[in-house]
Amino acid sequence: MSADAKEQSTYQSHARGKLVNLRTVWKEWVTLLALISIVLGLGQGAWAQEYPTQSINMLIDRPPGAGTDVVSRAMAPAASKILGQEVIPVNKPGAGGAVAVGITATSKGDGYTILGHTTSSLTVIPHLESVSYDPLKDVVPFVHFGTFFCGIIVRADSPYNSVKDLIDYARKNPGKASFGIVGIGNAPHLDIELVIQQEKLNMPVVPLGGGPPALTALLGGHVTAIGVGASAWMSSFKAGKVKVLATTTEKRILPDVPTLHESGYPFFNLSTEYYLISAPKGTPAAVVTKLEGAFRKAMEAPEFRTTAESYYVYDPNPLSRQALKELIETLYRKNEEIIKKAKLGKQG
């Protein structure tokens, strides 16, 4: 064999040796990574079995006495018994829920900080003002525990008996009909804005600072109609003081009252509030699953159902975690579109 051939053969032999070594090293790395994953998985599983070992703070995005606060607190005792540690409600109101979500988003994902809140802090508020969190990534909603439905209300002596009647009057009398809401972005503000956009109406929308003040303004003749949650108007409705022209729900809540969808507007639930419990991002999946199971079980407690029904937010068919995620993503995109067209809040 010539010197050149010997040199070539030696080079090829060395190259094959290096390739074998690289393959060996790669296999060892893959094996090591697999072992690490197994160990971490076992560790998380063991931790989840031990969890919780201390009390759990449940932040609430509204002040004491608000619907979210009362109904969230109604779950805490049963959840505490199931988990074996106290669930402590802590009110963190402000900025339409953005304060509480912001705190949760920066909390350690260890299962000891969770959040009771509504969808608007994820699907509406971020489009109205700057927030410190990514609404689709920084918190993980895992339980849907109630649905806050709204009605479009007029006084009992009003000449309007349907949404169509109200819209026809507003179209023929620009600027004369007014619509009262709790506040900018609060349900069912966006539903009404979409109706106004679709019908090209001049119908002023008036924020009134809450459900009771809105009802007072309506009964006093200061606004033509209002859109507020059922807890604000149900007693007046039963007493015959107001009429409900429609609800903003997917299906009828009151047998003789049509939905906005049935009234000719093929959309619903744009600004309906869903009551949620969420955890910070990074919370181990096994811990989130344990929390979800505990709170779903707590929702079966008679005390919770009684409280939820008294606030007209009880939902016999709570959404699954995946369905909740998809709903939030859909509402986020749709609400962004409506808010931009209506030129509400922050722009650009």
Side-chain angles (χ1 to χ4, degrees), residues 237 244-245 252-258:
F237 171 69
V244 185
L245 303 185
R252 290 193 180 197
I253 300 298
L254 301 171
D256 299 325
V257 177

Side-chain angles (χ1 to χ4, degrees), residues 246-251 258-268:
T247 60
T248 60
T249 48
E250 180 177 0
K251 298 178 181 179
T259 64
L260 195 59
H261 191 171
E262 291 176 294
S263 301
Y265 301 93
F267 52 85
F268 48 82

Side-chain angles (χ1 to χ4, degrees), residues 154 159-168 243-246 258 263:
V154 295
Y160 316 120
N161 294 305
S162 67
V163 171
K164 183 178 182 301
D165 290 345
L166 176 62
I167 298 307
D168 286 345
K243 291 187 287 190
V244 185
L245 303 185
S263 301

